[in-house]
Amino acid sequence: MPDDTVRLTDNRTGKSYDLPLFHGTLRAMDLRQIKTGPEDFGLMTYDPAFMNTASCMSSVTYIDGDQGILRYRGYPIDELAEKCTFLDVAWLLLNGELPNPDESAEWSNKISHHTMIHENLKKFMEGFRHDAHPMGMFVSTVAALSTFYPEARDVKSRQSRKLQIMRLIGKVPTIAAYAYRHSLGLPYVYPDNTLGYAENFLNMLWKMTEPKYNPDPVLARALDILFILHADHEQNCSANTMRAVGSSQADPYLSLAAAAAALAGPLHGGANEEVLRMIDEIGSVSNVPAFVDKVKAGQCKLMGFGHRVYKNYDPRAKIIKRTAEEVFKVTGANPKLEIAIELEQIALRDEYFIKRKLYPNVDFYSGIIYQAMGFQPDIFTVLFAIPRTVGWLAQWQELVDDSEQKIARPRQIYTGHDVRHVGELAATAAAPSIVRT
Ligand code: ACO
């Protein structure tokens, strides 16, 4: 028997099946042949929340959750964070290789020429209430971009895809900055193409009356590093949404808006905002043990802890902690850091967290840096969505080029009623009455 097969025996029929392994994995469709008779649909798998199902093949990002390893296109995340710019990493994720100096310069130049948004889109954003959550504004405005670029529907055109990708990477910081300025009642600031990607974002956020904004180089570099760390994370909830919506051949603006909506949830990218709220609720280092007891009693979660894939320290959290030190040299320390460190230390020693392999994830420290830089918590998830746009697009591009992919359409185990019929009484009660006015 070849050793790259698995033998399954169906105890209902006594038949055995040798199923081939594909990259060490069973193809779910191979199970369909396992039937009790010709009328039988065939065996399916049941996997709520995709705990053990690979939905695609991907060469973008590699994670080893037990070892705490994260690599983009084979490069360790810490090397990329140390030696590259965010835009070079974006090129890497989208094209598979790091750019040479000419490619890098041309790519930055092209992205900077896609940073403007149509004035009507600006007016569209002005329609939001003054207290609209920036993430709701971000999701809706990215979706609205679809109406400005109808040619984006031609998702089969490689050339069009390239253009939409550049537009999205160029425009998301502008949309994010406008959403933020709107919530503060400040006038919008136009992009400055002489600045780098993170620098220009800071310009659009913070520029007041000065003719030219000069971003602090340490803060701009810290933001660029944070962007690198957040750029992709393989098949997480939002990447899966990007692929699921993209599989219907919706245009990339609509698919990306859906992915950003998935990111907004507190169990995913919304966790960074929740971490800050949690730290505020704890209030002081002396209250940490009582809070940890509440978590252990199941009354709440320790936000920023735990991960579906990492069962070890999230490698991004380590780099964020180091970056925080650089930021605090400029901004002064965020007093919330002390509470976070105490939380981490108590949790990492506690049996509850050790047994469940719960470690700090990327969101645990990122909010503390963002806050020290001057951001309000409700913009944190938008700060995550800007770089993750690149990852979503890399995943989408891969999906569109994958000949094995089709419209995403899971199966279900139906647990409802068998057929039944509407009785006379129910039919009368349900009939709508016609009201004449
Ligand atoms: N605090 C306390 N207990 C936790 C936490 C936490 N943060 N996370 C998981 N647990 C416990 C669960 O209650 C469960 O305990 P049980 O076995 O006694 O029932 C066990 O650990 C396993 O947890 P699951 O929920 O099954 O793990 P899952 O892989 O489904 O969830 C998730 C992962 C959603 C990230 C979870 O750890 C969580 O909710 N964390 C807090 C939110 C957060 O920080 N999200 C950001 C993730 S990173 C990102 O998306 C960018």
Side-chain angles (χ1 to χ4, degrees):
M1 197 195 319
D3 58 7
D4 52 355
T5 60
V6 163
R7 171 160 293 184
L8 289 183
T9 302
D10 185 345
N11 293 327
R12 300 168 301 176
T13 59
K15 276 197 203 163
S16 284
Y17 302 81
D18 289 330
L19 302 181
L21 287 177
F22 172 75
H23 293 271
T25 306
L26 274 182
R27 277 187 179 270
M29 280 303 285
D30 282 347
L31 297 173
R32 274 289 178 83
Q33 60 186 295
I34 304 180
K35 298 178 175 206
T36 51
E39 300 301 313
D40 187 353
F41 179 76
L43 210 59
M44 288 195 312
T45 54
Y46 175 58
D47 188 11
F50 301 114
M51 295 291 286
N52 196 35
T53 295
S55 63
C56 62
M57 291 203 280
S58 179
S59 59
V60 181
T61 292
Y62 173 79
I63 301 176
D64 181 329
D66 292 324
Q67 306 279 335
I69 290 174
L70 169 61
R71 295 183 199 133
Y72 296 159
R73 302 280 189 186
Y75 292 107
I77 190 69
D78 47 335
E79 289 180 29
L80 293 170
E82 194 191 324
K83 297 184 179 155
C84 300
T85 65
F86 168 68
L87 280 187
D88 285 352
V89 170
W91 173 279
L92 169 74
L93 286 166
L94 289 159
N95 300 302
E97 297 297 335
L98 281 165
N100 63 36
D102 290 344
E103 287 166 336
S104 170
E106 196 193 338
W107 172 239
S108 304
N109 185 42
K110 278 189 174 153
I111 295 296
S112 67
H113 283 84
H114 284 290
T115 48
M116 296 284 281
I117 59 174
H118 195 290
E119 286 295 302
N120 286 356
L121 200 68
K122 214 175 89 180
K123 287 194 197 124
F124 171 86
M125 295 186 81
E126 279 164 10
F128 286 102
R129 273 176 58 123
H130 66 95
D131 58 353
H133 194 287
M135 201 54 192
M137 291 178 74
F138 182 84
V139 168
S140 322
T141 311
V142 170
L145 275 179
S146 152
T147 64
F148 288 80
Y149 304 111
E151 77 277 11
R153 271 181 239 155
D154 187 5
V155 295
K156 300 256 173 200
S157 158
R158 194 172 289 272
Q159 209 184 350
S160 165
R161 288 205 306 263
K162 264 184 145 174
L163 177 60
Q164 314 316 327
I165 286 173
M166 286 190 292
R167 281 180 174 152
L168 270 161
I169 297 173
K171 289 179 200 322
V172 286
T174 314
I175 294 173
Y178 282 16
Y180 195 51
R181 304 272 301 193
H182 179 83
S183 65
L184 297 175
L186 291 169
Y188 301 153
V189 172
Y190 286 97
D192 178 345
N193 286 356
T194 63
L195 297 173
Y197 193 78
E199 290 172 325
N200 173 48
F201 181 51
L202 292 175
N203 157 66
M204 292 188 291
L205 288 166
W206 308 130
K207 184 169 184 279
M208 297 305 274
T209 52
E210 63 274 42
K212 171 124 185 124
Y213 182 78
N214 292 310
D216 185 294
V218 175
L219 298 189
R221 178 61 190 147
L223 195 60
D224 212 53
I225 292 174
L226 286 164
F227 282 175
I228 292 172
L229 301 182
H230 286 89
D232 192 53
H233 212 232
E234 54 119 304
Q235 306 312 313
N236 52 76
C237 179
S238 54
N240 182 58
T241 305
M242 182 83 197
R243 282 178 175 265
V245 178
S247 77
S248 75
Q249 296 182 358
D251 75 50
Y253 301 99
L254 296 174
S255 302
L256 204 128
L263 186 76
L267 296 189
H268 191 11
N272 50 17
E273 188 179 336
E274 296 303 319
V275 171
L276 257 279
R277 296 196 198 294
M278 175 186 76
I279 292 179
D280 281 344
E281 188 196 317
I282 295 171
S284 74
V285 169
S286 60
N287 293 335
V288 168
F291 182 80
V292 171
D293 286 344
K294 263 173 67 179
V295 171
K296 285 159 62 180
Q299 290 168 22
C300 57
K301 278 191 168 176
L302 180 47
M303 298 310 284
F305 256 67
H307 200 275
R308 170 63 57 78
V309 181
Y310 291 121
K311 301 301 168 198
N312 199 329
Y313 214 101
D314 182 333
R316 300 168 299 175
K318 277 188 202 155
I319 303 168
I320 288 185
K321 239 174 135 180
R322 280 205 303 271
T323 311
E325 285 160 22
E326 296 304 310
V327 169
F328 294 156
K329 280 183 202 158
V330 176
T331 62
N334 184 341
K336 291 178 185 166
L337 182 67
E338 262 184 59
I339 302 179
I341 289 176
E342 182 71 3
L343 264 174
E344 178 187 327
Q345 281 176 357
I346 294 193
L348 292 182
R349 283 197 307 262
D350 193 291
E351 185 54 26
Y352 175 94
F353 298 91
I354 295 170
K355 203 173 115 201
R356 291 170 178 78
K357 299 190 175 169
L358 300 172
Y359 290 87
N361 59 49
V362 69
D363 289 322
F364 192 66
Y365 285 108
S366 60
I368 294 173
I369 306 193
Y370 293 145
Q371 199 177 43
M373 286 170 130
F375 295 106
Q376 300 294 321
D378 62 2
I379 193 80
F380 292 175
T381 313
V382 177
L383 297 175
F384 191 154
I386 294 170
R388 187 53 63 85
T389 290
V390 169
W392 291 327
L393 291 168
Q395 299 286 340
W396 173 72
Q397 203 176 235
E398 199 171 54
L399 165 99
V400 177
D401 278 338
D402 184 344
S403 59
E404 265 203 310
Q405 290 292 344
K406 290 169 179 260
I407 187 163
R409 203 317 185 172
R411 296 276 174 179
Q412 65 169 9
I413 299 174
Y414 177 67
T415 58
H417 289 282
D418 202 350
V419 68
R420 53 182 179 161
H421 299 284
V422 180
E424 221 154 81
L425 196 64
T428 318
S433 54
I434 297 168
V435 180
R436 292 186 196 283
T437 54

